[in-house]
Amino acid sequence: MPKATFFNLPNDKRSLIISAAMKEFSNANYDAASINQICKNSNIAKGSFYQYFTDKLDLYVYIMTLAVEEKIKFFSAIISEFHTLTLLEQIRLLFRKGVEFANKHPEYAALGEQFSKEDNELAKLAVTKEGNKQAESLFIQMILNAKTKGEIDSSVDSLALSLLLQSLYGAVNKYIVGKLENASYEYNEEDINSLVDSLLNIIFHGIQNKVD
Amino acid sequence: MPKATFFNLPNDKRSLIISAAMKEFSNANYDAASINQICKNSNIAKGSFYQYFTDKLDLYVYIMTLAVEEKIKFFSAIISEFHTLTLLEQIRLLFRKGVEFANKHPEYAALGEQFSKEDNELAKLAVTKEGNKQAESLFIQMILNAKTKGEIDSSVDSLALSLLLQSLYGAVNKYIVGKLENASYEYNEEDINSLVDSLLNIIFHGIQNKVD
DNA sequence: TGTGAATATGACCACCTGGTCACATATTAT
DNA sequence: ATAATATGTGACCAGGTGGTCATATTCACA
């Protein structure tokens, strides 16, 4: 956690530092990100930085935690009403909400995309230790729940389906972040949503021709 | 391409350099990988390195090209007999061959996994420009072919299915490389293959319960 | 106005990077 | 043996890194 001095800072100065750090950590991985750059872009001296944070890792964990909290806040509303929905509806909502989140908070989405590629084990561990990793088991819970309700075929391998959904969710995010990086590209949320629908349609109904 | 001097080297010295470079580039991304380390691990002087390669990028592209060539050689046999197989058989073969490749050449697999996370645009571009990127359009070709043969439902979104297969292929590779890194873990190729079968079963038949 | 605590600062440190270059050593051809 | 060419070498360079610290400034309270 940042030191008390950091939280005593005037709001605009503090948020300037945060946004500079977010920008740096979404453009470079942990080791490549530069504290010097963050200082330069937020107009603070190197010495000041170390009055706010104990070290680089301290800042990194703080920034990533902010992103996670924002995402949880964004998703909490829909998760609470999951029990009223079918698995298909749950998954579609999850994916669409993910698209919406990336659209509304591209900085956080870019941060997450960068984190998914992170090499530095220390940095990865520090972040996952801090945040609750409920997300990774969410799919499994949903799948098991749907099985008991008889919504999906019991012969389906739960682990495989979870892996499939996770990798697909990651792919969609990566796709969106890639689009958003191209400022020139005209981004269309509806196009992505119809792609998501196509994907879910495949997963739920399969691709094999039933006529033969 | 490396300079002539490099290819004049005695075989064992040359392959020592190659293996040291492969090790470095599979443990760190392009920017983080260290030429000093490669020199140290292959017992050559810094000056010698620059008699063999024009610069870091030269070595990087060379190493990645070796990996791509090895993979193409490995897959060429099965691709040539694709026309005798159904889409399901093609995809299953592709995935299984991928698992086998990662098992037989873990160094190359780790290299590919690292490349998929590569941040440095220059390095990425230099590699993709060199190698033929036939792989990325392979799935699309297979899908369109299967559609004309009526093997899969024509309403299936080809692009979405291709994205799904690609991301799944990447996820499986990542999964395997992760397992292989844990030397302690007892690796079982059959377990992975049955996971692949579960995944393909989902894609071909869907997960929705047909009883309701 | 004075005093002590909080905060701001940038020169500095040790260490690393990719790349260069003058020089030393082999190898080969004459 | 001599000359010419090909290789090997490591000190060195400019420029970057995360982190430190003595000092200067600002602030709050008496």
Side-chain angles (χ1 to χ4, degrees):
Chain A
M1 278 289 280
K3 303 178 185 175
T5 314
F6 178 68
F7 295 107
N8 293 339
L9 250 34
N11 281 345
D12 53 346
K13 188 170 183 177
R14 198 173 58 240
S15 62
L16 184 62
I17 295 171
I18 290 175
S19 71
M22 283 181 49
K23 195 173 173 184
E24 186 72 13
F25 282 125
S26 56
N27 286 328
N29 60 28
Y30 179 74
D31 285 312
S34 160
I35 289 180
N36 286 323
Q37 280 303 316
I38 294 172
C39 289
K40 198 170 293 177
N41 291 332
S42 55
N43 301 314
I44 63 168
K46 189 79 161 288
S48 297
F49 180 90
Y50 285 94
Q51 299 232 342
Y52 307 147
F53 307 96
T54 60
D55 54 18
K56 193 183 189 179
L57 191 59
D58 188 23
L59 170 65
Y60 185 71
V61 171
Y62 176 64
I63 293 293
M64 286 303 177
T65 303
L66 283 185
V68 170
E69 279 172 2
E70 197 69 28
K71 191 150 194 176
I72 287 178
K73 203 164 67 185
F74 197 85
F75 277 82
S76 61
I78 66 161
I79 302 266
S80 68
E81 61 181 37
F82 257 26
H83 63 279
T84 67
L85 305 174
T86 67
L87 181 64
L88 174 58
E89 290 166 338
Q90 289 175 354
I91 295 178
R92 191 196 341 249
L93 194 55
L94 214 52
F95 272 71
R96 283 188 173 243
K97 206 71 183 174
V99 173
E100 191 188 333
F101 181 79
N103 231 9
K104 204 166 273 179
H105 301 289
E107 340 81 58
Y108 289 121
L111 224 45
E113 178 55 28
Q114 189 63 248
F115 182 73
S116 74
K117 297 189 292 182
E118 184 57 55
D119 260 336
N120 189 304
E121 294 297 332
L122 207 87
K124 259 163 58 178
L125 193 71
V127 170
T128 52
K129 199 186 291 180
E130 196 70 18
N132 46 0
K133 42 191 169 183
Q134 63 183 39
E136 77 182 39
S137 62
L138 181 59
F139 280 129
I140 281 283
Q141 284 172 30
M142 288 162 56
I143 293 165
L144 296 180
N145 196 263
K147 274 196 181 176
T148 63
K149 287 206 243 168
E151 283 180 35
I152 63 174
D153 204 292
S154 61
S155 71
V156 169
D157 186 326
S158 302
L159 187 74
L161 179 55
S162 165
L163 181 70
L164 197 157
L165 290 173
Q166 260 179 261
S167 84
L168 213 49
Y169 189 82
V172 169
N173 262 338
K174 183 175 180 171
Y175 186 75
I176 296 172
V177 171
K179 294 278 186 206
L180 290 175
E181 270 170 5
N182 276 13
S184 63
Y185 187 85
E186 183 66 28
Y187 180 75
N188 190 342
E189 190 172 329
E190 268 319 303
D191 287 351
I192 304 272
N193 276 336
S194 74
L195 176 67
V196 167
D197 282 343
S198 296
L199 289 169
L200 298 187
N201 187 58
I202 291 173
I203 293 175
F204 275 78
H205 302 111
I207 62 175
Q208 200 156 51
N209 202 329
K210 281 102 188 170
V211 182
D212 60 359
Chain B
M1 278 290 280
K3 302 178 185 176
T5 314
F6 179 68
F7 295 106
N8 292 338
L9 249 35
N11 281 346
D12 53 347
K13 188 171 183 177
R14 199 172 57 241
S15 62
L16 184 61
I17 295 172
I18 290 176
S19 72
M22 283 182 49
K23 195 173 171 183
E24 186 71 13
F25 283 125
S26 56
N27 285 329
N29 60 27
Y30 179 74
D31 286 312
S34 161
I35 290 180
N36 287 324
Q37 280 303 316
I38 295 172
C39 289
K40 198 169 293 177
N41 291 334
S42 55
N43 300 316
I44 62 169
K46 189 80 159 288
S48 297
F49 179 91
Y50 284 93
Q51 297 227 304
Y52 307 148
F53 307 97
T54 60
D55 55 17
K56 193 184 188 179
L57 191 59
D58 188 24
L59 170 65
Y60 185 71
V61 171
Y62 175 65
I63 293 293
M64 287 304 177
T65 302
L66 283 184
V68 170
E69 280 172 1
E70 197 68 30
K71 191 151 193 175
I72 287 178
K73 202 164 66 185
F74 197 85
F75 277 82
S76 61
I78 66 161
I79 303 265
S80 67
E81 61 181 36
F82 257 27
H83 64 277
T84 67
L85 305 174
T86 67
L87 180 64
L88 174 57
E89 289 166 339
Q90 288 174 355
I91 295 178
R92 193 200 335 254
L93 195 55
L94 214 52
F95 272 70
R96 283 188 175 244
K97 207 71 183 176
V99 173
E100 191 187 335
F101 181 79
N103 230 9
K104 204 167 273 179
H105 300 289
E107 340 81 58
Y108 288 121
L111 224 44
E113 178 54 28
Q114 188 65 246
F115 182 72
S116 73
K117 299 188 292 181
E118 184 56 56
D119 261 334
N120 189 303
E121 295 297 331
L122 207 89
K124 258 162 60 177
L125 193 72
V127 170
T128 51
K129 198 186 291 179
E130 196 71 18
N132 45 1
K133 43 191 169 182
Q134 62 183 41
E136 77 183 38
S137 62
L138 181 59
F139 280 129
I140 281 283
Q141 283 172 32
M142 288 163 57
I143 292 166
L144 295 180
N145 196 262
K147 273 196 181 176
T148 62
K149 285 207 243 168
E151 285 180 31
I152 63 174
D153 203 294
S154 61
S155 71
V156 169
D157 185 327
S158 301
L159 187 73
L161 179 55
S162 166
L163 181 70
L164 197 157
L165 290 173
Q166 260 179 265
S167 84
L168 213 50
Y169 189 81
V172 169
N173 262 339
K174 184 176 179 171
Y175 186 75
I176 296 172
V177 172
K179 293 280 186 205
L180 290 174
E181 270 170 4
N182 274 14
S184 64
Y185 187 85
E186 183 66 29
Y187 180 74
N188 191 342
E189 190 170 330
E190 269 318 303
D191 287 350
I192 304 272
N193 277 336
S194 73
L195 176 67
V196 167
D197 283 343
S198 297
L199 289 168
L200 299 187
N201 187 60
I202 290 173
I203 294 175
F204 275 78
H205 302 112
I207 63 174
Q208 200 155 50
N209 202 329
K210 280 102 188 171
V211 183
D212 58 0

